[in-house]
Amino acid sequence: MDRRREVLVGLVVVLGIAAGVFGSIWLKGGWRGGQTELRTAATSVGALVPGAVVKFRGVTVGSVEGIEVLPSGEAVMVEMRVLEELVIPQNAGVLLAPESVFGEWQAEIVDRAEFGLPPFLDYPEAGVLPGAALPDFSRLTASIDQIARNLTNISERFEIAFTDETAQNLKNMIDNMGVLSDGLAEIIAQQTERFEQLAEGVDESAQELGAAARAARISFEHFDSLLLGADAETMVADASASLRNLRELTEGIGGSLEDLRAAAQRADATFARVEGLVVALEAPDGSFGRLLGDPALADGAVEALAEFRGLLADIKENPGRYLTFSIF
Amino acid sequence: MAELLLRPFAAIGNLTLAGLESMGRAWRMFSSAAVSMRSTDVWMPLLAAQMARVGVASVPIALFIATFTGIVMALQASYSLTGAIPSYFVGTLVGKTMILELGPVLTGLVLAGRVGANISAELGTMRVTEQVDALETLAYDPLAYLVVPRMLAGILMFPVVVLLAISIGIAAGWFTALQLLDMSSVEFVKGLRIYFAPWDVWFAVIKSLSFGAIVTGAGCYCGLQTEGGAEGVGRSTTRAVVAACMIILCLDAFWAAVLL
């Protein structure tokens, strides 16, 4: 009886422990054949946790064993165990991304040529695959939420700014723009017309210049024919004499002009002195000026002058009254 | 009037003192039992029998409870996770819940009723029929003879029973998902594995170890404190089950706060 009981107890204990151990290994994803270690480095791992699946072309080939931040803090090292027989592509990278919308993440071995974005971290250590993490759904939703809030703010501000007055101003501006464009069109039309007229004038001028050139050519031809004539020397001698006379006349006119310029300068100096005198006389603080400006003073001066004349006459008549000579 | 006012305070004081007295007695008993573990020649021959009584005999009821818990969990998970949530989360929910919570706690509560009551009634009857006194008279250490093998059996066998219960519960949930919920094994296993961490199993083992100690310890303590004949035996049995269940729930919260 005791033996049977002991066996029973042992059996139950073994069964229980086996259930715990083998169940854990099975749930952990063990018994997948030979496995090898694979490492990747990324700047972030998002929500990746140890135990997350590793996929290659959509097939689960292993699991994430460990995640640790490197002591330098520049990257996160992810250790994975994958099937030993798995052939990793030459340009492979590990993309860390959500496996579904429910939060679990996976590590997927991908060809980097097929996934240009996001930038993979090339960790300078042999055997470490470049890794990159996609943004989490929460980050995306947070970004979308931010964008939505910004749009709301913009629409609110637009609503605040775009009042009836703004609309009226806008309408006026559009009307003004219409008027302005009409004016510009008119100016352009006028300018076009003027340019056309100018072009016609230029054309006419060119024609006239052409006619003048033709006439000049004819004259030169006549002149050449004259030069070729027998009395050419006489004509040259007459022309030379005429030129001499003309030079003498010019010199004479030049001398007369010099005399005229000197007379004009003297006249200028005289007029300047006269003007200065007049200014001095008319100065309000001067005697003559005050005399001219003040009638009472002028009357006083006339009276004083009359008295002065009377005094002079009295002195002439009675000098002894005013002059006395004495030796001692 | 004054007596009426003082009565509530007196009641609280009595309860406090009684609680402290019980705790002191329990502490003395368990420390003495720990000392009695040196008497291996006394408790060792009895250990296998107690393991069979406490553990092996409890397996059927534990598996029964776990089976239906797994079935109900799968059905309720399927009912709750309709809509946008993928069906493989049924596996996640069944696995996580069975390993972390329902496996250890339900098994502990069930065994508190079965094992704790059994031990308390047995030791209480021995106490009221003076068999314990007879052991002392015969120079047997009653703690080494009665308490140590039962508590060791509980501590050793509870994790085993709980691991079996968890396995059967998950298997039952899996079976239910396949047969009743139109899920595939691949989906259910994916859900099971997706959030599984080995630490979860260790968490369940640690909890069940403590539950085993509590259930058998409460049964032993209440049984040895029995007074008053058959009525006292019934009272101590009830007290042992209630105390074990309450402590199990408190410990469950404690371990969750400390270990998770």
Side-chain angles (χ1 to χ4, degrees):
Chain A
M1 181 65 183
D2 284 349
R3 186 71 180 164
R4 185 171 164 272
R5 184 182 294 156
E6 287 170 359
V7 169
L8 200 61
V9 169
L11 190 65
V12 170
V13 169
V14 168
L15 275 176
I17 293 172
V21 172
F22 290 106
S24 297
I25 293 171
W26 178 70
L27 288 176
K28 194 77 176 65
W31 302 313
R32 285 182 183 154
Q35 291 191 323
T36 184
E37 189 180 276
L38 195 65
R39 294 196 301 160
T40 183
T43 52
S44 167
V45 294
L48 193 76
V49 292
V53 296
V54 179
K55 288 186 177 176
F56 179 63
R57 300 193 189 283
V59 180
T60 301
V61 293
S63 61
V64 174
E65 292 293 309
I67 299 170
E68 61 174 1
V69 180
L70 293 174
S72 60
E74 60 185 337
V76 182
M77 188 66 74
V78 179
E79 293 179 2
M80 302 168 285
R81 294 196 71 80
V82 298
L83 292 175
E84 204 169 20
E85 61 268 23
L86 183 69
V87 179
I88 306 291
Q90 206 163 21
N91 192 31
V94 178
L95 186 69
L96 312 175
E99 187 182 9
S100 73
V101 295
F102 300 101
E104 67 270 22
W105 275 50
Q106 65 178 12
E108 187 172 10
I109 300 168
V110 297
D111 187 347
R112 279 197 289 166
E114 296 174 9
F115 285 87
L117 290 172
F120 286 83
L121 175 67
D122 283 309
Y123 191 71
E125 187 179 321
V128 178
L129 292 176
L134 288 180
D136 193 1
F137 284 114
S138 57
R139 289 189 199 173
L140 290 175
T141 52
S143 299
I144 292 167
D145 181 51
Q146 184 64 45
I147 291 167
R149 267 184 277 157
N150 291 341
L151 284 174
T152 306
N153 287 339
I154 290 168
S155 61
E156 284 174 357
R157 288 176 188 177
F158 186 76
E159 195 174 341
I160 291 167
F162 199 78
T163 58
D164 292 342
E165 187 182 351
T166 312
Q168 188 60 43
N169 291 338
L170 195 63
K171 181 179 174 298
N172 292 340
M173 190 183 79
I174 292 167
D175 291 343
N176 292 338
M177 288 294 290
V179 172
L180 184 65
S181 62
D182 290 344
L184 283 172
E186 191 176 346
I187 289 168
I188 289 168
Q190 289 174 357
Q191 291 297 324
T192 306
E193 190 179 353
R194 284 177 188 168
F195 276 125
E196 286 173 355
Q197 290 172 357
L198 184 65
E200 287 173 2
V202 169
D203 191 32
E204 286 175 6
S205 301
Q207 288 175 359
E208 287 172 0
L209 280 172
R214 279 193 297 276
R217 191 183 303 118
I218 292 165
S219 300
F220 284 133
E221 286 171 0
H222 283 301
F223 188 68
D224 285 342
S225 62
L226 287 172
L227 286 176
L228 291 173
D231 53 348
E233 288 180 4
T234 310
M235 286 174 67
V236 170
D238 292 343
S240 178
S242 300
L243 281 174
R244 266 195 310 274
N245 295 334
L246 188 60
R247 190 178 297 116
E248 288 171 1
L249 179 62
T250 304
E251 286 172 356
I253 291 170
S256 301
L257 282 173
E258 285 294 326
D259 295 340
L260 185 61
R261 188 177 294 116
Q265 284 174 351
R266 284 194 298 273
D268 281 344
T270 305
F271 286 138
R273 280 195 295 272
V274 170
E275 188 177 2
L277 183 61
V278 169
V279 168
L281 288 174
E282 288 180 347
D285 51 347
S287 302
F288 199 72
R290 279 187 291 179
L291 193 62
L292 289 175
D294 191 351
L297 193 61
D299 293 341
V302 170
E303 288 175 4
L305 193 58
E307 286 176 3
F308 186 66
R309 282 177 183 152
L311 181 62
L312 285 176
D314 190 43
I315 288 170
K316 285 177 182 176
E317 289 173 5
N318 304 301
R321 190 186 294 176
Y322 301 97
L323 297 172
T324 304
F325 286 97
S326 64
I327 296 171
F328 302 101
Chain B
M1 184 63 183
E3 178 64 24
L4 199 65
L5 288 172
L6 291 176
R7 198 173 289 168
F9 296 103
I12 293 170
N14 275 334
L15 275 173
T16 307
L17 289 174
L20 289 174
E21 189 181 349
S22 292
M23 286 172 66
R25 279 186 196 154
W27 175 251
R28 273 180 57 194
M29 192 197 84
F30 291 127
S31 57
S32 300
V35 173
S36 298
M37 284 186 71
R38 289 180 302 183
S39 308
T40 51
D41 55 329
V42 176
W43 58 263
M44 189 66 88
L46 302 169
L47 185 61
Q50 291 303 324
M51 286 172 78
R53 282 182 59 191
V54 171
V56 177
S58 301
V59 168
I61 183 71
L63 298 189
F64 180 80
I65 296 289
T67 300
F68 283 92
T69 304
I71 291 171
V72 171
M73 280 302 303
L75 292 172
Q76 289 190 349
S78 169
Y79 173 76
S80 303
L81 301 181
T82 51
I85 302 174
S87 57
Y88 63 78
F89 271 93
V90 172
T92 306
L93 198 62
V94 170
K96 277 285 184 187
T97 312
M98 285 303 297
I99 294 170
L100 290 176
E101 184 63 22
L102 293 183
V105 172
L106 281 185
T107 305
L109 292 175
V110 167
L111 296 198
R114 184 188 176 277
V115 175
N118 181 292
I119 293 172
S120 179
E122 185 184 11
L123 298 190
T125 304
M126 289 177 75
R127 169 62 78 186
V128 297
T129 56
E130 298 179 347
Q131 291 179 57
V132 177
D133 298 330
L135 284 171
E136 287 174 346
T137 305
L138 293 171
Y140 271 98
D141 180 2
L143 295 178
Y145 192 78
L146 299 173
V147 175
V148 172
R150 284 171 174 78
M151 286 193 70
L152 280 178
I155 291 169
L156 293 174
M157 291 306 290
F158 259 59
V160 173
V161 176
V162 165
L163 287 174
L164 288 171
I166 289 170
S167 304
I168 294 299
I170 291 173
W174 187 352
F175 181 79
T176 306
L178 295 184
Q179 299 300 321
L180 301 178
L181 302 179
D182 201 22
M183 280 179 66
S184 68
S185 284
V186 174
E187 280 181 300
F188 190 85
V189 172
K190 178 185 177 182
L192 269 181
R193 285 176 168 170
I194 202 164
Y195 287 112
F196 174 75
W199 169 248
D200 295 350
V201 177
W202 283 110
F203 179 72
V205 168
I206 292 169
K207 272 169 62 166
S208 51
L209 278 173
S210 65
F211 293 169
I214 289 300
V215 167
T216 52
C220 292
Y221 173 75
C222 293
L224 291 177
Q225 298 296 319
T226 304
E227 289 174 347
E231 190 183 344
V233 172
R235 203 164 42 241
S236 65
T237 302
T238 304
R239 204 163 61 224
V241 172
V242 171
C245 289
M246 289 174 66
I247 295 173
I248 281 174
L249 294 175
C250 291
L251 266 181
D252 185 39
F254 171 77
W255 287 128
V258 170
L259 296 179
L260 290 183

